[in-house]
Amino acid sequence: ITRPRRALFCSPKEKKRRAQLAVSTAFCNLLVGSGHGSVQTETNITGHDGSPKFVYLMAFFSALGGFLFGYDTGVVSGAMLLLKKELNLSALWQELLVSSTVGAAALAALAGGFLNGALGRRLCILLASFIFSVGGVILSLAPNKEVLLCGRLIVGLGIGVASMTVPVYIAEVSPPHLRGQLVTINTLFITGGQFIASVVDGAFSYLNHGGWRYMLGLSAVPAVLQFVGFLFLPESPRWLLQKGRSEQARQVLTHIRATENVNEEYDSIKSIIEEEEKESGGGPVLWRILTCAPARRALIVGCGLQMFQQLSGINTVMYYSATILQMAGVRDDKMAIWLAAATAFTNFLFTLVGVWLVERAGRRKLTLGSIIGTAISLSVLAVGFLLSAQASPPVTFHPRDPSSLNSTCTHYGFCEYCMLDPNCGFCYRENGSTILNSSCDPVDQANTEEAASGRCSNATQGSTGAFWAYNYCPTPYSWIVLLGLILYLAFFAPGMGPMPWTVNSEIYPLWARSTGNACSAGINWICNVLVSLTFLHMAEFLTYYGAFFLYSGLALLGFFFMLGCLPETKGLMLEDIETLFSRRLCTCGAFGGQNVHYIRVNGGECLSDEDISDGE
Ligand SMILES: O[C@H]1[C@H](O)[C@@H](O)[C@H](O)[C@@H](O)[C@H]1O
């Protein structure tokens, strides 16, 4: 059904809106270079292949939120090396400065559901970029650790809101055939942010005084850029329609599709919203999701994806990469920082593969292939650690330094036990591949790069030719660990990295979208805190290989969960995806999605389990 062309809008309000759209078109033309200095009509912003360039621009400015998410979570490890020396931070303060951001992100993501529904996606993104800018300025000017903590908490709030809003906004403005790719670009920006953060960390690590101010403060630049960009970008047409602002929704849709012919899409979104409104029961949205079978199933799949993303240990592997590289023989600390940047770059590079694959292979195949590969690579990592532990060099030399006599370190007979104790490190000399004169010494608490006393302390290192290994042991099997690390990133980054965010932005009906994404993003952040806070303790009790075997088992569990429950959403209209969850949860994954035309059963609303068996 094609509608007649819209009449001209004459009310002052409409004129104002059209003027706003004209400004954003001009802004777009300026950036994508298709204009010639004048305000162009929508057709001018369509690429030669018919892809609307404006949507790419919107995805770019939105994904700056992903960049900030990656930057602010990634930059802190390098900043901490300088901060702990300059502000004399205790272990508790270091822990607080790192985890406060992730904790605040979890709370803000959960609260973001309400904000998203009430204020709209655009205002939430503006709010997040404003928070990021303020946080960046506070961090760079912080006079003491208390203000730093405030800044880290503020930045966390921005990350939480951005992490759940940006994928939803991109999904809602994208045409179905580009949606997966454009939402995945957001994760590309997350990993890009992590990479740039590690490069900035590397560059400013040479600046002993105040280097951390640049590291933490630089995030204000992309934040301001995003804020300014979003002043010109429109609201999601789906949210506008939901709020009854139909004319504005139609205008935005016409604008972003770069064609006047949007009636089919407009009508289909509108009729589904109207249907949903008629059918929706009362009560809080979360309650409605929990009591509505298809929405509940979508929520379980969405939260499960986010949970397994974190339980397969990505942030541990990223955090631990410098140590893994040290095991592989990189002795220089500055070098280890740069190699950690190489790890972040590999993560970024393989996420790019995901952007390329998502519309070709589809979400389901990509996720399944990725998680099984992740489970295998985690086992390779674990085997590498196991062999290293078995070949762990003995402690041959027991120093008589009075300060080390009453420490636990002198009791250990092998490097493996010595390095698992966070208070000790392994000091050794080597002749070719043979370890000589090894001792287990207490670590300098202020600087773990050296021993508190003895041959590996600052005073004597260099001259004695001894090496200090903190957190690792010299091993001939480091290549297996390195291989595991590379395989891990190659498998994780294209699928398990981006797909949980992409799939979550697609699977909920409009009425449940904000809340569904808030819950699943909240689960992501909560699991992120849990995994990073427990890793070192877990390594102490289970050893490293135990911890990695555990992650591998969890990833395998995730594989079976997704095999049963994850349907294919590629190419479908957002409004059709809900129907994929009309069957029992463990059979949802059996329905491919491609070449199937979905009809809405009972308007796609809340079917009871009896209805579903009838339907089947
Ligand atoms: O999707 C992202 C990405 O994979 C990042 O590398 C990781 O640090 C985040 O925790 C995750 O949510």
Side-chain angles (χ1 to χ4, degrees):
I1 307 158
T2 359
R3 286 201 169 184
R5 261 186 77 111
R6 307 296 304 163
L8 282 175
F9 303 101
C10 301
S11 73
K13 229 175 169 181
E14 284 310 329
K15 277 186 189 153
K16 193 176 147 215
R17 277 189 203 133
R18 285 191 81 75
Q20 261 176 2
L21 279 178
V23 174
S24 68
T25 306
F27 176 63
C28 166
N29 284 341
L30 193 78
L31 286 163
V32 297
S34 58
H36 303 283
S38 60
V39 174
Q40 308 275 313
T41 58
E42 289 87 350
T43 38
N44 292 44
I45 51 172
T46 309
H48 297 301
D49 55 354
S51 56
K53 284 189 187 170
F54 192 51
V55 166
Y56 285 111
L57 190 75
M58 291 165 99
F60 170 80
F61 275 98
S62 318
L64 283 176
F67 180 87
L68 287 160
F69 159 171
Y71 186 89
D72 280 314
T73 47
V75 80
V76 70
S77 55
M80 201 53 72
L81 294 178
L82 303 182
L83 270 170
K84 66 181 180 195
K85 281 187 206 157
E86 213 170 307
L87 299 187
N88 213 356
L89 295 179
S90 63
L92 177 70
W93 267 95
Q94 291 177 38
E95 196 107 283
L96 268 179
L97 288 174
V98 176
S99 7
S100 55
T101 307
V102 185
L107 292 180
L110 290 169
F114 168 74
L115 293 179
N116 242 265
L119 306 177
R121 325 315 189 200
R122 177 178 170 267
L123 266 187
C124 280
I125 296 180
L126 275 170
L127 179 73
S129 48
F130 178 74
I131 297 177
F132 277 126
S133 317
V134 173
V137 173
I138 293 182
L139 286 170
S140 64
L141 301 178
N144 52 37
K145 54 182 190 276
E146 287 78 14
V147 179
L148 259 179
L149 181 62
C150 265
R152 291 290 294 162
L153 281 168
I154 292 177
V155 162
L157 297 179
I159 298 180
V161 174
S163 69
M164 64 122 330
T165 312
V166 169
V168 171
Y169 179 79
I170 302 181
E172 289 189 341
V173 298
S174 305
H177 71 287
L178 290 178
R179 191 180 58 235
Q181 205 160 54
L182 293 177
V183 183
T184 306
I185 285 181
N186 183 48
T187 313
L188 184 71
F189 273 51
I190 299 179
T191 54
Q194 290 173 329
F195 167 59
I196 298 292
S198 54
V199 172
V200 170
D201 277 355
F204 286 105
S205 63
Y206 298 95
L207 207 68
N208 273 332
H209 194 78
W212 57 269
R213 293 192 187 275
Y214 297 98
M215 296 176 181
L216 298 173
L218 271 176
S219 64
V221 178
V224 171
L225 181 68
Q226 189 188 38
F227 186 83
V228 174
F230 255 85
L231 289 176
F232 298 99
L233 293 177
E235 180 51 89
S236 147
R238 285 175 163 88
W239 182 85
L240 288 170
L241 260 172
Q242 195 192 23
K243 295 286 161 192
R245 290 152 69 173
S246 335
E247 283 313 334
Q248 204 183 343
R250 179 184 281 281
Q251 268 176 275
V252 172
L253 206 57
T254 308
H255 186 62
I256 62 182
R257 293 287 174 267
T259 167
E260 291 284 324
N261 195 11
V262 293
N263 295 329
E264 203 182 323
E265 189 176 356
Y266 176 89
D267 290 340
S268 119
I269 302 174
K270 192 171 165 98
S271 70
I272 285 169
I273 290 176
E274 280 165 1
E275 230 171 74
E276 281 178 4
E277 255 158 32
K278 262 188 262 146
E279 288 155 4
S280 68
V285 183
L286 186 59
W287 174 249
R288 278 160 56 201
I289 296 181
L290 293 176
T291 51
C292 164
R296 183 176 63 237
R297 290 183 194 117
L299 185 70
I300 295 173
V301 171
C303 291
L305 271 168
Q306 293 286 25
M307 183 179 85
F308 283 114
Q309 180 197 65
Q310 291 301 319
L311 295 188
S312 44
I314 174 65
N315 291 307
T316 305
V317 173
M318 293 277 282
Y319 157 79
Y320 202 60
S321 67
T323 311
I324 292 176
L325 295 163
Q326 279 178 321
M327 283 177 69
V330 182
R331 298 270 154 66
D332 179 2
D333 282 313
K334 291 274 185 305
M335 190 65 181
I337 292 186
W338 286 112
L339 286 174
T343 312
F345 184 69
T346 316
N347 191 19
F348 169 78
L349 212 62
F350 282 106
T351 311
L352 204 61
V353 176
V355 174
W356 185 75
L357 275 178
V358 63
E359 296 298 0
R360 289 175 174 80
R363 290 52 158 163
R364 184 177 150 82
K365 275 192 201 144
L366 192 54
T367 310
L368 288 175
S370 165
I371 196 159
I372 195 73
T374 300
I376 295 171
S377 342
L378 282 164
S379 292
V380 174
L381 267 170
V383 168
F385 281 116
L386 177 63
L387 291 175
S388 305
Q390 282 175 348
S392 171
V395 176
T396 57
F397 173 66
H398 294 276
R400 302 201 178 276
D401 191 313
S403 64
S404 59
L405 282 181
N406 51 5
S407 99
T408 49
C409 309
T410 48
H411 306 319
Y412 300 119
F414 286 91
C415 174
E416 175 72 6
Y417 304 113
C418 171
M419 69 105 174
L420 285 174
D421 185 335
N423 297 314
C424 314
F426 190 65
C427 183
Y428 66 101
R429 291 203 295 130
E430 64 182 358
N431 183 5
S433 57
T434 319
I435 309 286
L436 302 171
N437 291 344
S438 57
S439 57
C440 182
D441 299 332
V443 64
D444 179 350
Q445 295 296 348
N447 177 14
T448 53
E449 286 155 29
E450 61 197 31
S453 58
R455 299 170 303 156
C456 282
S457 69
N458 194 22
T460 48
Q461 217 166 359
S463 59
T464 57
F467 293 111
W468 173 244
Y470 180 69
N471 251 343
Y472 72 94
C473 289
T475 162
Y477 297 106
S478 56
W479 67 271
I480 303 183
V481 181
L482 201 60
L483 177 75
L485 174 71
I486 295 168
L487 281 179
Y488 179 91
L489 292 171
F491 278 110
F492 180 92
M496 277 312 285
M499 285 312 108
W501 298 107
T502 305
V503 172
N504 267 288
S505 72
E506 306 181 316
I507 52 178
Y508 306 101
L510 186 57
W511 61 268
R513 195 167 295 147
S514 308
T515 309
N517 273 279
C519 293
S520 60
I523 294 282
N524 179 295
W525 289 111
I526 291 169
C527 293
N528 187 332
V529 185
L530 279 180
V531 172
S532 27
L533 284 186
T534 53
F535 176 69
L536 285 179
H537 299 283
M538 218 156 67
E540 230 179 299
F541 294 113
L542 294 181
T543 70
Y544 286 127
Y545 59 84
F548 282 104
F549 273 130
L550 181 68
Y551 293 144
S552 172
L554 290 169
L556 196 64
L557 205 65
F559 170 78
F560 288 115
F561 169 75
M562 282 158 215
L563 188 69
C565 310
L566 179 67
E568 181 55 80
T569 50
K570 181 179 126 186
L572 296 173
M573 281 262 303
L574 283 180
E575 285 64 28
D576 286 335
I577 290 174
E578 184 191 353
T579 50
L580 296 175
F581 292 95
S582 55
R583 289 167 186 267
R584 287 190 195 288
L585 181 64
C586 52
T587 62
C588 290
F591 296 90
Q594 306 99 313
N595 310 322
V596 179
H597 216 81
Y598 288 94
I599 49 160
R600 293 169 63 82
V601 184
N602 285 359
E605 99 293 25
C606 312
L607 303 169
S608 69
D609 283 342
E610 295 84 72
D611 292 334
I612 292 148
S613 349
D614 289 344
E616 279 171 343

